Amino acid sequence: MDMIDPFGRTISYLRVSVTDRCDFRCTYCMAEDMAFLPKKDLLSLEELDRLCTVFIEKGVRKLRLTGGEPLVRKNIMHLVRQISRHLESGALEELTLTTNGSQLSRFAAELADCGVKRINVSLDTLDPEKFRQITRWGNLDKVMDGIDAAQAAGLKVKLNAVALKDFNDAELPEMLRWAHGRGMELTVIETMPMGEIDADRTDQYLPLSLLRAALERQFTLTDIPYKTGGPARYVHVAETGGRLGFITPMTHNFCESCNRVRLTCTGTLYMCLGQEDAADLRAPLRASEGNELVADAIDEAIGRKPKGHDFIIDRRTNRPSVSRHMSVTGG
């Protein structure tokens, strides 16, 4: 039975944050001195597989692994290989992940072997010094090696860049040419007010309407109906022949077509990225060897999925819209 929310939207896309930990500390995502969840609070890989399986049985067709950084979770490839059985059976149409690229050179070939066809790599700049500045701990060369390994393994790579005012906005045309020159798509994303960070998000926030206007002084952008199942709206770039995506949770939210829910590594289900309401799936999961209790809990939660989020970034709103960091729910 498909999962239908109160607004008639079919929920077919599950994002699973397998860890809140990350080997970067991106300034728009988290504070440098982060307090992460105790390991004892995390679901085991077997429990994550069991929950994912219940969602697939209930109609999920696309599953994305996120973090934090998913590839820093110990034995993560065991979970990927377990979930991949649903690709082989045809129950799951796509298994993919979002990564910062730091561990890709280790895992790209095995990901491809498990049936992963494409991945998203978060990359906000091609300048090594600026990359170190924005990630605090990251090494651009290591990410570039990871992208090389992913493409060598046959994985289709899409780059995600958070558009940050006075940081990378002037660089995005160069990134676009570079990505398309290597056969990769690029999606730009507005920063979102999630969790306390060390920066002022009003200083970082760049409406993508302004970015698009700036890009159109150099490129011919044509809206196209292309969809990947996520929230991006795409344009064709005549000068490069590639696609460019825009994810605009602030200036033009995409809630009316939302088909997604998010599961955290503690078994908490968030029906909306921008709302605090959540459902505990860990307790019913552990209360029975069968899956009836957890299936009922999922149904109850989907019945509470809100129409949309209430993200605000302005000088009058100096608190984040939700207290949890992006790394908890995986973006």
Side-chain angles (χ1 to χ4, degrees):
M1 295 292 291
D2 287 342
M3 294 179 287
I4 310 292
D5 79 359
F7 303 95
R9 298 169 297 195
T10 299
I11 308 306
S12 58
Y13 180 5
L14 176 67
R15 299 177 64 111
V16 183
S17 176
V18 297
T19 178
D20 67 326
R21 295 171 185 266
C22 188
D23 50 353
F24 291 177
R25 294 291 184 275
C26 293
T27 58
Y28 54 81
C29 180
M30 59 176 74
E32 185 167 12
D33 184 22
M34 283 291 290
F36 292 113
L37 294 165
K39 288 194 169 86
K40 64 179 177 61
D41 289 351
L42 271 59
L43 295 179
S44 68
L45 295 178
E46 290 73 20
E47 287 174 324
L48 282 169
D49 173 47
R50 186 176 155 202
L51 270 180
C52 290
T53 298
V54 175
F55 273 99
I56 292 166
E57 290 172 349
K58 293 179 74 61
V60 161
R61 294 293 172 262
K62 176 178 177 178
L63 196 151
R64 179 178 295 276
L65 301 179
T66 69
E69 169 48 47
L71 295 179
V72 302
R73 173 82 192 246
K74 188 176 180 181
N75 296 325
I76 184 60
M77 291 311 302
H78 173 72
L79 177 63
V80 175
R81 198 161 289 281
Q82 286 296 105
I83 295 174
S84 72
R85 73 188 185 276
H86 300 296
L87 292 172
E88 295 171 8
S89 73
L92 186 65
E93 293 175 4
E94 183 176 42
L95 173 61
T96 183
L97 78 156
T98 296
T99 173
N100 64 26
S102 67
Q103 308 298 316
L104 264 181
S105 57
R106 295 172 55 200
F107 294 117
E110 191 173 357
L111 286 167
D113 186 58
C114 289
V116 175
K117 304 290 190 214
R118 65 186 185 100
I119 59 173
N120 290 359
V121 177
S122 301
L123 181 65
D124 301 318
T125 176
L126 299 176
D127 182 302
E129 285 305 312
K130 288 171 72 175
F131 184 82
R132 173 75 70 174
Q133 179 186 340
I134 197 71
T135 63
R136 293 192 179 102
W137 298 0
N139 182 322
L140 182 61
D141 287 340
K142 199 171 180 183
V143 174
M144 292 300 186
D145 289 345
I147 291 173
D148 290 343
Q151 290 194 307
L155 295 172
K156 185 177 179 182
V157 177
K158 180 169 76 70
L159 300 181
N160 288 341
V162 176
L164 299 166
K165 184 172 63 177
D166 299 329
F167 179 78
N168 65 354
D169 42 353
E171 189 185 349
L172 287 169
E174 176 194 352
M175 287 191 69
L176 180 63
R177 293 186 184 95
W178 176 77
H180 288 179
R182 291 195 48 162
M184 298 183 288
E185 291 180 14
L186 174 67
T187 293
V188 287
I189 308 169
E190 289 174 337
T191 186
M192 288 176 263
M194 297 187 64
E196 295 285 359
I197 59 173
D198 300 325
D200 184 341
R201 285 195 172 91
T202 52
D203 294 332
Q204 298 177 323
Y205 174 53
L206 175 65
L208 292 193
S209 54
L210 297 182
L211 175 64
R212 176 167 179 163
L215 289 173
E216 286 180 323
R217 290 194 280 271
Q218 300 183 46
F219 302 101
T220 307
L221 308 181
T222 305
D223 291 308
I224 56 175
Y226 177 74
K227 287 284 184 184
T228 63
R233 293 178 170 89
Y234 287 89
V235 298
H236 177 263
V237 184
E239 288 75 8
T240 63
R243 282 190 293 257
L244 171 65
F246 294 94
I247 296 182
T248 54
M250 306 302 299
T251 55
H252 186 289
N253 77 47
F254 32 76
C255 303
E256 70 279 357
S257 60
C258 184
N259 62 343
R260 299 170 295 288
V261 290
R262 292 165 169 83
L263 178 68
T264 76
C265 54
T266 62
T268 302
L269 181 68
Y270 285 96
M271 290 70 80
C272 175
L273 180 64
Q275 301 280 4
E276 295 285 16
D277 188 31
D280 173 26
L281 301 186
R282 181 173 58 184
L285 183 76
R286 292 178 173 175
S288 169
E289 292 185 6
N291 292 329
E292 295 82 4
L293 292 178
V294 74
D296 289 344
I298 291 170
D299 288 340
E300 193 275 334
I302 298 300
R304 306 203 310 266
K305 184 171 169 63
K307 189 171 185 179
H309 62 67
D310 301 310
F311 284 151
I312 299 170
I313 293 181
D314 61 29
R315 294 288 176 192
R316 299 183 303 277
T317 309
N318 60 7
R319 299 283 297 173
S321 293
V322 293
S323 59
R324 68 184 184 280
H325 286 83
M326 183 72 80
S327 58
V328 173
T329 25

